[in-house]
Amino acid sequence: MSSQDGTVVRRRRMCFAVVCLAATAPLLSPGATAKDTEACTAGTTLRLSAPEASQGSLLLIEVKSTKPLAEVEGDWGGRSVPFWRDVAGEAHQKGLLGVDLEKAPGKYELKVTGQTASGEKMNCSVMVAVRKGRFATEKLQVGKQFVEPSPEQIKRADEERQKLRDIFDRATPERLWDGKFRVPLDGVTTGANFGRRRILNGNPGSPHGGVDLPGTTGTPVHAAQRGRVVLAEELFFSGNTVVVDHGLGIYTFYGHLSEIGVKVGDALEAGAVLGKVGATGRVTGPHLHWGLTVERARVNPLLIVKLLGNSSGEVARKKSSKP
Ligand SMILES: [Zn+2]
């Protein structure tokens, strides 16, 4: 529809960089509603890494102020958005907006609120549109026990799903990672199957919540960044599994391992080996299933490498400041 197209075009132009210098160029004319436009208090700028989001994507938010910022918080449709201070300066904070794989397409208001070091309140409001993700449908034949599990297996899988949900519901208040995220297998830069809808032996299953990285059994699996191990055990569907908490509601998931090399509570440095590639659980062959959860949203993990990878000045600056 033309009206929808018009909205999309306008948003592309407006949403990418919201610069709000109210003293010289107010974005909101008196009487304009904040719902359909974007606004920040004077002296604050909000930028999104992309003008729109799609299911399973991740956006980087940058908030800059002319004054030092004491704290910044984000809310997107009732979900909190993790923010952290950037080393570039006290007047600059970054946040990650995770769009769950199955989030209903539509427009959602992102509200960012905070306070400057001198106690002045700041806020921004941006409408973020979510498009339907383009995901393939895959037909798979797997062992009958996985499609028609026994009552005991169903009970076990349900308990494990709840256990994972409980983990992802908790957000460690401090940021445990530092610098860029990496793909967990050496020499691998891309993965497949994210969001793929699977039809298992003719029955539709849940969408694929991670990427499958190619690897042979025994290949070392590295932690994508620094964090704490919060799960290290064999699960019904994902086999030998490790979950690492990176803080601020950000978790990475490593499945189908042939061996687990860590235990719950272990503090891992970025890149530490946490296990080996395998074919445990519901698989058709050895590979690493790698997942990323940001504030309970299942998103494509390769995007955090892209967003907090090469563009991140944190590591480079830290290294250059040390002898
Ligand atoms: Zn997988």
Side-chain angles (χ1 to χ4, degrees), residues 211-259:
V211 289
D212 293 332
L213 304 176
T216 52
T217 297
T219 304
V221 175
H222 302 268
Q225 241 299 340
R226 185 193 285 173
R228 193 176 299 120
V229 177
V230 286
L231 182 138
E233 64 183 70
E234 194 226 337
L235 302 180
F236 179 64
F237 283 110
S238 55
N240 290 328
T241 303
V242 171
V243 176
V244 179
D245 175 10
H246 301 287
L248 304 183
I250 296 169
Y251 294 89
T252 48
F253 181 107
Y254 309 80
H256 310 309
L257 304 173
S258 57
E259 281 177 40

Side-chain angles (χ1 to χ4, degrees), residues 208 212 256 287 289:
H208 187 247
D212 293 332
H256 310 309
H287 68 275
H289 176 97

Side-chain angles (χ1 to χ4, degrees), residues 2-81:
S2 60
S3 62
Q4 278 184 344
D5 293 344
T7 307
V8 168
V9 169
R10 189 184 65 79
R11 193 146 304 285
R12 231 166 233 158
R13 200 173 56 237
M14 297 286 289
C15 235
F16 196 69
V18 184
V19 181
C20 310
L21 301 167
T24 53
L27 259 188
L28 278 179
S29 57
T33 59
K35 280 271 175 231
D36 293 311
T37 184
E38 305 80 20
C40 290
T41 45
T44 306
T45 306
L46 185 148
R47 286 177 64 89
L48 294 175
S49 57
E52 294 185 320
S54 63
Q55 292 173 322
S57 71
L58 188 65
L59 299 185
L60 182 68
I61 308 165
E62 291 186 79
V63 173
K64 285 182 188 175
S65 170
T66 50
K67 295 176 179 169
L69 289 167
E71 57 189 57
V72 173
E73 286 176 357
D75 177 278
W76 196 49
R79 290 199 169 189
S80 67
V81 177

